[in-house]
Amino acid sequence: KVRSFEKTPSDNSQQINKDQAEEFTSSNKEIVLDKDEAVPRQEKMDLMGNREALEKDVNDVKTQDNKAHQHNLKQLCRICGVSFKTDCYKRTHPVHGPVDDETLWLLRKKEKKATSWPDLISKVFKIDVRGDVDTIHPTRFCHNCWSIIHRKFSNTPCEVYFPRNSTMEWQPHSPNCDVCHTTSRGVKRKSQPPSVQHGKRVKTIAERARINRGVKNQAQINNKNLMKEIVNCKNIHLSTKLLAVDYPVDFIKSISCQICEHILADPVETTCRHLFCRTCILKCIKVMGSYCPSCWYPCFPTDLVTPVKSFLSILDSLGIRCPVKECDEEILYGKYGQHLSSHKEMKDRELYSHINKGGRPRQHLLSLTRRAQKHRLRELKRQVKAFAEKEEGGDIKAVCMTLFLLALRAKNEHRQADELEAIMQGRGSGLHPAVCLAIRVNTFLSCSQYHKMYRTVKAVTGRQIFQPLHALRTAEKALLPGYHPFEWKPPLKNVSTNTEVGIIDGLSGLTLSIDDYPVDTIAKRFRYDAALVCALKDMEEEILEGLKAKNLDDYLNGPFTVVVKESCDGMGDVSEKHGSGPAVPEKAVRFSFTVMNIAIACGNESKRIFEEVKPNSELCCKPLCLMLADESDHETLTAILSPLIAERESMKNSELLLEMGGILRTFKFIFRGTGYDEKLVREVEGLEASGSTYICTLCDATRLEASQNLVFHSITRSHAENLERYEIWRSNPYHESVDELRDRVKGVSAKPFIETVPSIDALHCDIGNATEFYRIFQMEIGEVYKNPDVSKEERKRWQLTLDKHLRKKMNLKPMMRMSGNFARKLMSKETVEAVCELIKCEERHEALKELMDLYLKMKPVWRSSCPAKECPELLCQYSYNSQRFAELLSTKFKYRYEGKITNYFHKTLAHVPEIIERDGSIGAWASEGNESGNKLFRRFRKMNARQSKCYEMEDVL
């Protein structure tokens, strides 16, 4: 039975093939004969001789039948199976490829990610069309199903009916094919044209096959010629005749476009694995529809991909002859463009370049108006838009900028490419404001100096590389306390719950009356809790990495225990600036804190997730309060630091709730006031000055007791005990005399107002001990062990002799006041060797060298951040070395230490092992970081701050 071939792609050829198929069927019936029927001999021989032609003819009929089936499939909806021949279903849509503009607008409005029909059909109808075959499945669907998809995503009641109870199931073509029966039923056949063989029968099957093949080949040739006329690329693409080597025909076919038959130019590969020039297939798809020109498989512009790199390298390595006249050079195909550009004759170059067909000369793209540029690039814009919607979520800007970036890199224009890449990454060609701020601070530029540099660079380069000052101030706000929100549970007593608190006046909240003590100072500070929050947020990455390093879950919310070291020190020699305001002293006080370590409780044990590697660096020493005041002025110091200490006391009994890593976490704080020198410890703990009979801030020993018992003492003082002793001193409950009362309170004479940890400041201990050794050197030069009674002039002469010799031998310049650097250089074996040159007695040489050697063995124990790891042997030998050191002082140097001893020698010999056993270190808890910060204070105040008393402290802080 011959089925309908109505509306096939080539009606004439299909009609002729239909006639041949009918005649072949009737002749085939004549060939199949009964056993008794006689067959003429000549016809039998013809049949036997043309068996091969018969098989080919049968295959042709099957092919035509499959094409008819495929044509019928094109008339049916892929989803519901209805025919497109009815009026209400004439509008159709492709099953594959990107969605139409109306659907795309709806999906973007609903914030849906799907941009292709296969995704939408799978979501709405639960049909996977990605594996469809065009010989089994239709390639389009009806507008009714399109409306159902729209109703689904617009969330409106579906008024469109679905013609079937379920979706269609498609089967391969068979003799009893439902598709072919359905489409042929009720369709009126066309009247057949009179056949050229009307009234005659074709004698042999071979003749009929020849006619069939001839018609088919003629149709293919016509189709190919039509496509070549469409692409019209003979003046643009290179012919295969230009190949320098005579390659095999099959190889030439593999490297040539299947449309224009030229060498592939910008080759692309379809989903059916055929190769074309990009411009050729895009033109064909636009004119002839979304099908592969070779096999008519559905193909869309977005389906085109670049072939594998190995094929492209083979293509680029082909040798071709230059088509330009009078140039017989053989070049690689990949370098043809570079070679062509080297020819100066524009006329010859345009043979295979773009030709302007008449009209005025073609203008360069950049010289056109915006409207003309849009018109010329409209096709490219459409392709880029389609690619962006399919591959990059509709981000056309990113696709275009990436193309521009690759073009710049290809031409080695890396400077422009770097600037473009910076813009693409959101950084812009200029520096980030935070980077500019870091540059300004690290180079110690004042605001006016930075502004001059900013204007100069902008004027010279024409670009804004550095950011203006207002951008720096905005960036600075995110780095200062008061930027991050937080909460205390329970709320802090007498502290505001407002978290947006930046720099505040150090005297805020201080009510003054006429009779009060005048406070002549300028002070600026942060609120303590806001400063701690800012420090923790700066350490967010270290805390989360610490959790990972300890194999803990990064979503643990605590409680985290934060140990904070507090430091306070006064600095002199701060010159006063001119301007209005109170007549402040030329001294300053700096209060700071350092986060030493953070731990988290895991069951019964505590795991330390962060520990400050350089606890004495100015980078981790956060300033909290700056004031222009004298550290000896007890009233001013109390007035400014009391609110700060009140905040600290409130934080001891509360927990901080702070978001870190996207999770609200809990923090508890432990405050340790260890960064104080002895002068300030006595000031804030209410003790008598350092010249007092009560020599130590850790124990109750007097100077006489300490000189008689140099080693064996223990820590007895505490802040709570000092408060109790102050109450006794204030009230005198036992009605004792002044001397008896002073002996009872052990030197407490004022109210303690800052809690400190009884400890030794390693830096000032080093300086104090070096000062004492400096005096010992002078006395050994003057042989005081022989004659203790000498005049001041003699002592002055010894000092001058020692200074001159140290300058000559050790390059140590004499100083009015001992500094840390001078102390480090002075306390060495080389210095003792130099001093011994001025001492005549060999016995004194040995005593002095042994004393220095013992000191150098003891010093690393209190200077190192972790003596148990850095110097465990010296830590074990410390008790023996300290006793031998004390023995030398009481024997060989008795002239100096009979009945007396310096404060730091006493602490060094008596209390170091006990402090290390309690805290693990002395050096890590020193005030060296605060001392380094003092240098920054002086530098910033001189170079960076505004020339005003009101604003200079704020700028420095």
Side-chain angles (χ1 to χ4, degrees):
K1 183 180 178 181
V2 181
R3 300 182 180 88
S4 173
F5 287 86
E6 189 177 26
K7 294 183 182 179
T8 52
S10 55
D11 290 340
N12 296 332
S13 61
Q14 293 292 347
Q15 191 64 39
I16 294 170
N17 288 337
K18 183 178 71 173
D19 298 339
Q20 299 299 328
E22 288 177 349
E23 290 181 7
F24 166 71
T25 307
S26 60
S27 63
N28 201 15
K29 289 178 181 177
E30 292 175 5
I31 291 169
V32 181
L33 301 173
D34 294 332
K35 291 180 182 180
D36 300 334
E37 188 177 354
V39 180
R41 183 179 183 83
Q42 185 64 36
E43 195 167 348
K44 278 189 177 182
M45 291 178 65
D46 291 342
L47 181 62
M48 295 295 290
N50 296 298
R51 181 173 295 174
E52 185 178 355
L54 174 63
E55 290 175 357
K56 287 184 178 179
D57 207 312
V58 170
N59 290 335
D60 286 342
V61 171
K62 286 184 179 178
T63 303
Q64 294 298 334
D65 204 10
N66 287 335
K67 283 189 176 180
H69 174 77
Q70 194 170 345
H71 174 69
N72 293 333
L73 284 174
K74 293 178 182 177
Q75 307 299 321
L76 300 177
C77 173
R78 169 66 177 86
I79 300 171
C80 63
V82 302
S83 175
F84 297 149
K85 294 182 180 180
T86 57
D87 291 338
C88 57
Y89 292 106
K90 281 188 177 179
R91 186 178 173 187
T92 62
H93 306 272
V95 170
H96 301 277
V99 299
D100 54 13
D101 292 338
E102 186 177 352
T103 309
L104 184 64
W105 177 83
L106 176 64
L107 292 173
R108 285 184 177 173
K109 185 179 178 182
K110 296 297 181 181
E111 297 183 352
K112 302 295 183 182
K113 292 184 178 179
T115 58
S116 64
W117 285 122
D119 294 339
L120 294 183
I121 292 170
S122 177
K123 285 186 178 181
V124 177
F125 299 104
K126 308 296 187 230
I127 301 173
D128 187 9
V129 297
R130 290 183 179 85
D132 281 7
V133 181
D134 60 339
T135 57
I136 301 175
H137 305 89
T139 57
R140 303 185 74 82
F141 62 98
C142 64
H143 192 67
N144 188 29
C145 297
W146 180 90
S147 302
I148 292 172
I149 293 174
H150 267 245
R151 299 284 181 175
K152 174 78 174 178
F153 285 98
S154 58
N155 296 329
T156 56
C158 185
E159 299 174 359
V160 182
Y161 72 98
F162 195 79
R164 294 179 183 270
N165 294 331
S166 61
T167 55
M168 285 289 293
E169 291 183 6
W170 303 96
Q171 302 296 335
H173 179 59
S174 63
N176 300 320
C177 179
D178 292 336
V179 172
C180 298
H181 279 294
T182 304
T183 53
S184 63
R185 191 185 308 130
V187 178
K188 187 177 180 180
R189 298 191 181 187
K190 284 186 177 180
S191 59
Q192 297 183 359
S195 175
V196 293
Q197 299 161 344
H198 183 65
K200 295 182 181 180
R201 295 190 57 179
V202 179
K203 295 293 183 181
T204 61
I205 299 173
E207 291 180 17
R208 289 195 294 272
R210 274 197 304 272
I211 294 170
N212 196 8
R213 282 196 297 273
V215 172
K216 184 177 179 181
N217 291 338
Q218 187 64 34
Q220 288 179 347
I221 291 169
N222 293 338
N223 202 10
K224 230 167 200 182
N225 291 335
L226 176 63
M227 287 190 291
K228 285 184 179 179
E229 289 180 8
I230 291 171
V231 297
N232 190 23
C233 62
K234 63 182 179 180
N235 292 327
I236 302 174
H237 298 159
L238 295 176
S239 172
T240 53
K241 295 177 182 179
L242 293 172
L243 290 169
V245 182
D246 189 12
Y247 293 107
V249 177
D250 291 337
F251 177 76
I252 293 175
K253 284 184 179 179
S254 67
I255 59 157
S256 58
C257 175
Q258 298 190 28
I259 296 174
C260 65
E261 296 181 348
H262 296 140
I263 302 175
L264 287 165
D266 191 10
V268 291
E269 185 180 354
T270 61
T271 51
C272 51
R273 311 302 293 275
H274 292 118
L275 291 170
F276 304 93
C277 303
R278 186 182 294 274
T279 56
C280 295
I281 190 169
L282 289 174
K283 287 180 181 179
C284 281
I285 287 175
K286 185 175 181 181
V287 175
M288 304 183 70
S290 300
Y291 297 96
C292 173
S294 293
C295 63
W296 296 99
Y297 188 80
C299 177
F300 299 92
T302 53
D303 296 333
L304 303 178
V305 295
T306 306
V308 291
K309 290 183 178 179
S310 55
F311 176 80
L312 294 176
S313 63
I314 293 170
L315 188 65
D316 291 340
S317 63
L318 295 175
I320 61 170
R321 293 187 300 274
C322 180
V324 179
K325 294 177 182 179
E326 299 178 359
C327 180
D328 297 328
E329 187 177 349
E330 290 186 6
I331 52 174
L332 295 180
Y333 181 62
K335 296 184 178 179
Y336 167 69
Q338 297 177 10
H339 175 76
L340 184 64
S341 63
S342 65
H343 289 287
K344 295 182 179 179
E345 293 83 14
M346 182 61 69
K347 188 175 180 181
D348 291 339
R349 194 189 316 173
E350 287 178 351
L351 285 175
Y352 287 89
S353 299
H354 179 83
I355 293 179
N356 183 28
K357 298 178 181 179
R360 59 184 177 181
R362 186 179 179 86
Q363 292 179 290
H364 191 273
L365 183 65
L366 295 177
S367 65
L368 297 175
T369 62
R370 189 173 299 174
R371 185 175 180 181
Q373 287 174 340
K374 285 182 180 179
H375 181 73
R376 185 179 291 184
L377 298 176
R378 64 190 184 281
E379 184 64 26
L380 177 63
K381 185 178 178 183
R382 188 185 68 79
Q383 293 173 19
V384 171
K385 182 181 179 183
F387 173 81
E389 288 173 351
K390 183 179 179 183
E391 301 290 341
E392 301 298 329
D395 193 353
I396 299 175
K397 180 183 175 183
V399 174
C400 294
M401 294 182 83
T402 306
L403 283 172
F404 186 31
L405 182 67
L406 294 174
L408 291 173
R409 298 280 188 206
K411 292 188 176 182
N412 291 327
E413 296 178 5
H414 294 292
R415 183 178 176 183
Q416 272 186 295
D418 292 339
E419 292 176 5
L420 177 63
E421 201 165 12
I423 294 171
M424 290 170 64
Q425 294 173 0
R427 293 184 282 114
S429 58
L431 298 171
H432 193 274
V435 177
C436 297
L437 179 64
I439 291 172
R440 189 200 143 215
V441 171
N442 287 321
T443 54
F444 297 100
L445 293 176
S446 64
C447 291
S448 58
Q449 288 170 329
Y450 175 83
H451 186 63
K452 286 177 184 176
M453 180 184 72
Y454 159 75
R455 285 191 308 173
T456 305
V457 172
K458 188 176 181 181
V460 171
T461 63
R463 291 180 296 159
Q464 186 170 306
I465 296 174
F466 291 98
Q467 303 303 318
L469 276 171
H470 67 83
L472 269 64
R473 292 194 182 101
T474 304
E476 196 174 31
K477 290 178 182 177
L479 303 172
L480 291 176
Y483 182 77
H484 304 285
F486 57 91
E487 185 183 354
W488 287 94
K489 208 170 186 180
L492 298 183
K493 188 178 180 183
N494 297 327
V495 178
S496 171
T497 56
N498 180 24
T499 60
E500 296 179 2
V501 182
I503 298 174
I504 58 178
D505 187 3
L507 295 171
S508 59
L510 184 66
T511 55
L512 297 175
S513 64
I514 297 173
D515 299 328
D516 280 342
Y517 180 83
V519 181
D520 293 330
T521 182
I522 295 174
K524 297 290 179 182
R525 74 178 182 94
F526 297 117
R527 212 172 74 186
Y528 207 156
D529 57 342
L532 283 171
V533 166
C534 183
L536 288 175
K537 289 296 286 185
D538 287 344
M539 298 161 56
E540 183 172 356
E541 289 184 9
E542 286 91 338
I543 293 171
L544 297 179
E545 287 175 5
L547 288 171
K548 291 180 182 178
K550 296 293 183 180
N551 296 322
L552 298 172
D553 295 323
D554 55 1
Y555 55 80
L556 289 176
N557 60 356
F560 296 89
T561 304
V562 183
V563 181
V564 179
K565 174 178 77 174
E566 293 178 328
S567 304
C568 187
D569 188 29
M571 61 187 107
D573 192 24
V574 179
S575 59
E576 185 183 353
K577 290 194 175 184
H578 302 286
S580 60
V584 295
E586 294 186 359
K587 293 183 179 180
V589 178
R590 182 176 188 269
F591 191 97
S592 63
F593 70 90
T594 304
V595 177
M596 295 294 289
N597 60 69
I598 301 174
I600 185 171
C602 298
N604 296 328
E605 61 175 339
S606 177
K607 290 189 176 181
R608 188 169 290 182
I609 60 172
F610 169 80
E611 187 162 10
E612 183 57 59
V613 181
K614 296 180 178 179
N616 291 317
S617 169
E618 67 270 20
L619 298 178
C620 62
C621 185
K622 311 288 184 182
L624 191 61
C625 179
L626 297 176
M627 66 186 96
L628 291 171
D630 190 350
E631 61 180 324
S632 303
D633 188 350
H634 185 81
E635 287 76 13
T636 303
L637 205 64
T638 306
I640 295 173
L641 294 182
S642 289
L644 195 146
I645 299 305
E647 293 166 8
R648 171 203 189 198
E649 293 301 318
S650 299
M651 287 188 286
K652 284 183 180 179
N653 304 318
S654 292
E655 291 183 350
L656 172 67
L657 300 178
L658 177 64
E659 185 178 328
M660 189 170 288
I663 299 173
L664 199 64
R665 304 179 195 263
T666 309
F667 295 87
K668 292 181 177 179
F669 293 92
I670 297 174
F671 299 96
R672 292 174 56 83
T674 59
Y676 301 86
D677 60 359
E678 181 165 350
K679 180 181 179 182
L680 205 59
V681 167
R682 290 179 176 276
E683 181 74 29
V684 301
E685 285 285 6
L687 301 176
E688 294 173 352
S690 54
S692 167
T693 305
Y694 297 93
I695 187 175
C696 188
T697 57
L698 289 86
C699 64
D700 297 336
T702 61
R703 196 171 298 274
L704 180 62
E705 292 170 354
S707 65
Q708 293 170 350
N709 177 15
L710 292 171
V711 178
F712 301 107
H713 295 273
S714 61
I715 300 172
T716 56
R717 289 189 185 271
S718 67
H719 182 70
E721 186 183 46
N722 290 339
L723 283 170
E724 292 174 3
R725 286 175 172 175
Y726 169 72
E727 286 300 319
I728 294 174
W729 171 262
R730 187 183 63 81
S731 58
N732 192 9
Y734 305 107
H735 307 289
E736 295 168 311
S737 63
V738 174
D739 293 336
E740 291 173 339
L741 188 59
R742 184 165 173 258
D743 183 57
R744 180 181 289 276
V745 298
K746 305 297 182 185
V748 176
S749 59
K751 183 178 181 180
F753 69 97
I754 297 179
E755 181 181 358
T756 64
V757 177
S759 183
I760 302 172
D761 182 56
L763 174 66
H764 291 91
C765 181
D766 215 7
I767 293 171
N769 291 338
T771 305
E772 189 60 23
F773 265 89
Y774 185 66
R775 292 187 183 130
I776 291 174
F777 292 157
Q778 295 174 28
M779 291 180 177
E780 288 296 317
I781 292 170
E783 297 181 343
V784 179
Y785 60 91
K786 290 182 180 178
N787 182 22
D789 298 325
V790 289
S791 62
K792 286 185 178 180
E793 289 77 11
E794 285 290 319
R795 293 179 185 274
K796 189 69 175 175
R797 188 169 58 82
W798 301 338
Q799 183 180 354
L800 292 173
T801 304
L802 178 62
D803 287 343
K804 185 177 180 180
H805 193 69
L806 289 178
R807 186 165 192 165
K808 179 181 177 182
K809 293 289 184 180
M810 301 297 298
N811 196 24
L812 277 173
K813 299 177 182 178
M815 302 186 71
M816 293 291 293
R817 188 179 179 189
M818 181 77 67
S819 67
N821 291 331
F822 189 92
R824 275 187 282 274
K825 291 181 181 178
L826 184 71
M827 305 304 290
S828 63
K829 291 181 180 180
E830 292 78 7
T831 305
V832 175
E833 294 288 346
V835 172
C836 287
E837 294 177 7
L838 301 174
I839 301 172
K840 299 174 184 177
C841 180
E842 289 291 332
E843 185 181 353
R844 304 308 298 176
H845 290 185
E846 296 301 322
L848 200 58
K849 288 180 182 179
E850 185 181 3
L851 192 71
M852 178 62 77
D853 184 58
L854 289 170
Y855 180 81
L856 292 177
K857 288 180 180 178
M858 292 190 294
K859 178 183 172 182
V861 176
W862 76 74
R863 286 295 289 172
S864 61
S865 297
C866 186
K869 291 182 180 178
E870 297 172 24
C871 51
E873 293 182 2
L874 296 178
L875 178 61
C876 295
Q877 298 169 6
Y878 192 88
S879 296
Y880 169 78
N881 291 333
S882 62
Q883 290 181 39
R884 176 59 187 157
F885 191 91
E887 186 179 342
L888 279 175
L889 292 182
S890 58
T891 55
K892 299 287 185 181
F893 299 92
K894 188 177 181 180
Y895 64 87
R896 170 74 176 160
Y897 299 104
E898 186 174 10
K900 58 182 179 179
I901 192 172
T902 63
N903 299 11
Y904 279 111
F905 262 4
H906 163 71
K907 291 179 180 179
T908 302
L909 297 172
H911 296 300
V912 168
E914 187 177 359
I915 296 172
I916 290 178
E917 186 179 353
R918 182 192 68 191
D919 299 338
S921 172
I922 294 176
W925 298 93
S927 67
E928 203 161 1
N930 198 59
E931 294 286 348
S932 301
N934 292 349
K935 297 179 194 173
L936 292 179
F937 174 89
R938 290 191 175 92
R939 185 72 181 267
F940 285 140
R941 186 166 183 261
K942 182 179 179 182
M943 301 293 296
N944 292 55
R946 283 171 279 186
Q947 299 289 327
S948 166
K949 287 184 179 180
C950 299
Y951 297 109
E952 60 172 347
M953 286 293 103
E954 185 175 331
D955 291 346
V956 174
L957 187 58

